[in-house]
Amino acid sequence: MLKKSLELLRQEAAETGSHTLKRSLGGLNLIAIGIGVIIGAGLFSLTGIAAANHSGPAVTLSFVVAAIGCAFSALCYAEFASMVPVAGSAYTYAYATLGELFAWIIGWDLVLEYSVGAATVAISWSQYLVRFLAKYDLHMPAQLVLSPFEKVTLADGSVVSGFINLPAILIVLFITAIIIRGTQGSAVYNGIVVALKLSVVAVFIVLGWQYINPANYHPYIPANTGHFGEFGWSGILRGAGVVFFVFIGFDIVATMAQETKNPQRNMPIGIIGSLVICTILFVLFGHVMTGLANYTEFKNSAAPVAIAIEKTPYAWLSQAIIIAILIGYTSVILVDLLGQSRVFFTMSRDGLLPGVFSQIHPRFQTPHKSNLLLGVFISLFAGLVPISVVGEMTSIGTLLAFVMVCIGILILRKREPNTLRPFRTPWVPLVPILGILTCLVMMLSLPADTWIRLFVWLAIGLAIYFGYGKKNSKLRQGIQAEAQPAPQEVIS
């Protein structure tokens, strides 16, 4: 099976000039980028969904299970990122270990995760903005905050159809403009956002802790209803699969390797550091939320934190939480768009996608055309398609990528044991095997329709690969050129 050599990947990482990405990110920047997408709106919504439908107060254990699966994978990601500091993340790692076809599958899987995820978040960002402004009697026309496929009943009883979700479009284009100007500016913006979000999360934990009702923790693990995933230990596993979505982010850090100063040192710091910080905050956050209100009260609620806050005398904190959600969505969109364009950049450089996705701006040294094309496409998708169709981005694609990365470490340790590894995954093969098993268990705990969506998307991707990517693969063309005999000199 056609693979990229580690030596070729290192040559790509060492390239400099106007056609390459600018190295401007340090370890703290990477931690902030990871936290920026991990602590997003999912924390403020999925925590309640997991508690109400699957694990009850034991949602904290669901966070721990999900974090353990992430930790195993993070250690494997860190080794790869230090060995092969180029853009592309799991796609690049799969190219070096499992071959071009598997690399395409992972890359296409990441496209689904990042692009559709950004559109989904943009639509929700618009909804929360409308809710926030309504508190101050500021109302936008319904036609400009809904897609053409949505209707809403106004206070006077009239039914209005949407035209376009304008806030969703504008937020995607705004973030795209920030990204085009360079990752250093994006990192500064993201750092400010992360500081604000961490402050709100810390305030919720500190203020809410003193109003916890211990009775809400009994039973800590509600009895199973007789169906897999509905409470009991199977509910904790299903809850882990749900809240795993909240952890998605540290893997995006790996897509920034080619824009990182001293990636051998800073990539492991960014990946593992962001995961550790967020895991601690998530467990504390879930503990306080389910302690303030009974988990059954979060049923069918998209804003469980607001319900929890009502149990305290700090009503003003409700609006602050909405601000935190808006900020959280913004940073998630930023990092999703960053990760998406960097995966496309790498796939384009390999010839698997058109060259427009790997063209670099001469001043900003960013893939500006890729950013712009993706930004316009995703913004229109967010503005014209209802959230019920876009759907919530599931965890299954990321879990699949994690499994591939763990398998890749096992293959490389056996195939190239003497290769320089600035960061080594400890306890190999135990850690990669545990990572594979943990992620597979969480994948199997997800509903069947999640698997169906994944297979349909992968089928579309395979059609594109065999129709375009395989024919234009630069690695394949290079090997074929080397295999052809040199032209014979004709003597007349």
Side-chain angles (χ1 to χ4, degrees):
M1 189 171 291
L2 191 64
K3 302 183 183 71
K4 265 192 176 184
S5 68
L6 290 178
E7 183 59 33
L8 178 59
L9 290 173
R10 291 196 185 96
Q11 289 176 9
E12 293 178 3
E15 289 179 357
T16 59
S18 60
H19 64 290
T20 61
L21 298 172
K22 183 179 180 180
R23 295 192 181 275
S24 59
L25 303 176
L28 292 178
N29 294 136
L30 294 175
I31 290 176
I33 287 174
I35 294 175
V37 69
I38 297 173
I39 301 184
L43 177 63
F44 303 109
S45 58
L46 293 184
T47 304
I49 293 172
N53 299 330
H54 306 297
S55 50
V59 67
T60 51
L61 297 182
S62 294
F63 275 125
V64 171
V65 172
I68 290 173
C70 287
F72 293 137
S73 302
L75 291 171
C76 294
Y77 261 99
E79 177 171 323
F80 264 126
S82 67
M83 290 172 61
V84 191
V86 296
S89 183
Y91 160 79
T92 301
Y93 310 153
Y95 216 149
T97 56
L98 302 174
E100 185 176 271
L101 177 59
F102 281 99
W104 171 269
I105 292 173
I106 294 301
W108 190 246
D109 181 48
L110 293 175
V111 168
L112 174 68
E113 175 189 340
Y114 298 153
S115 60
V116 181
T120 305
V121 173
I123 296 171
S124 293
W125 185 92
S126 174
Q127 293 179 353
Y128 272 104
L129 177 66
V130 170
R131 180 180 301 182
F132 178 80
L133 294 177
K135 292 283 186 178
Y136 304 100
D137 291 326
L138 299 173
H139 304 280
M140 295 183 65
Q143 295 91 335
L144 297 181
V145 295
L146 296 173
S147 77
F149 305 97
E150 293 177 295
K151 295 181 179 181
V152 63
T153 301
L154 302 180
D156 60 4
S158 60
V159 178
V160 177
S161 296
F163 176 70
I164 194 169
N165 193 332
L166 187 59
I169 289 178
L170 293 178
I171 188 60
V172 173
L173 294 179
F174 172 71
I175 297 301
T176 297
I178 292 177
I179 292 174
I180 287 176
R181 290 189 61 84
T183 51
Q184 182 62 45
S186 302
V188 172
Y189 169 80
N190 189 67
I192 296 172
V193 169
V194 168
L196 291 172
K197 286 194 297 183
L198 286 175
S199 298
V200 173
V201 171
V203 167
F204 174 78
I205 293 173
V206 172
L207 295 184
W209 195 281
Q210 56 188 319
Y211 295 99
I212 287 176
N213 181 3
N216 290 327
Y217 294 132
H218 301 288
Y220 192 71
I221 303 178
N224 184 264
T225 62
H227 300 280
F228 182 89
E230 295 183 5
F231 307 108
W233 285 102
S234 67
I236 292 175
L237 289 177
R238 175 68 63 82
V242 172
V243 300
F244 189 88
F245 176 85
V246 180
F247 281 96
I248 295 174
F250 77 83
D251 61 311
I252 295 180
V253 173
T255 69
M256 312 303 296
Q258 207 162 343
E259 293 159 273
T260 301
K261 296 178 291 187
N262 191 6
Q264 287 79 4
R265 171 184 176 273
N266 290 325
M267 290 306 298
I269 291 175
I271 293 171
I272 299 174
S274 58
L275 178 61
V276 170
I277 293 172
C278 290
T279 300
I280 295 172
L281 289 174
F282 288 175
V283 171
L284 293 174
F285 191 91
H287 180 75
V288 171
M289 195 183 78
T290 54
L292 290 174
N294 189 278
Y295 70 92
T296 57
E297 298 183 56
F298 303 134
K299 192 77 172 179
N300 300 322
S301 173
V305 179
I307 295 175
I309 292 173
E310 292 176 358
K311 309 297 182 179
T312 75
Y314 304 109
W316 58 267
L317 196 56
S318 179
Q319 281 294 86
I321 290 297
I322 293 181
I323 293 176
I325 291 174
L326 288 171
I327 295 172
Y329 274 135
T330 304
S331 62
V332 171
I333 294 170
L334 184 147
V335 183
D336 274 344
L337 292 179
L338 270 176
Q340 164 71 95
S341 63
R342 273 43 178 182
V343 172
F344 261 42
F345 171 82
T346 307
M347 296 174 76
S348 174
R349 288 216 331 178
D350 292 336
L352 304 183
L353 287 173
V356 66
F357 293 107
S358 57
Q359 293 180 11
I360 300 298
H361 192 281
R363 176 184 173 191
F364 301 130
Q365 289 185 254
T366 58
H368 59 299
K369 292 184 179 179
S370 177
N371 289 139
L372 187 58
L373 287 171
L374 290 169
V376 171
F377 171 76
I378 294 172
S379 67
L380 291 175
F381 198 61
L384 299 174
V385 182
I387 195 169
S388 58
V389 175
V390 176
E392 179 186 277
M393 274 295 295
T394 64
S395 305
I396 194 166
T398 306
L399 286 165
L400 176 61
F402 288 2
V403 169
M404 292 295 187
V405 169
C406 292
I407 292 174
I409 288 296
L410 292 174
I411 292 175
L412 270 190
R413 284 292 186 94
K414 185 170 182 63
R415 198 175 71 198
E416 301 189 35
N418 299 321
T419 298
L420 176 64
R421 291 170 167 83
F423 177 87
R424 296 179 64 89
T425 302
W427 306 312
V428 174
L430 179 62
V431 167
I433 290 175
L434 290 176
I436 293 168
L437 294 176
T438 306
C439 291
L440 284 177
V441 168
M442 285 190 281
M443 289 177 71
L444 293 173
S445 72
L446 293 171
D449 57 349
T450 301
W451 285 83
I452 294 173
R453 287 193 294 269
L454 177 65
F455 289 141
V456 170
W457 177 256
L458 292 179
I460 296 172
L462 288 174
I464 295 175
Y465 171 73
F466 287 108
Y468 178 89
K470 186 176 181 179
K471 298 176 182 178
N472 294 277
S473 167
K474 292 182 179 179
L475 182 62
R476 189 178 300 274
Q477 291 174 352
I479 292 176
Q480 291 173 347
E482 291 177 1
Q484 293 177 353
Q488 298 295 319
E489 183 178 356
V490 178
I491 302 176
S492 57

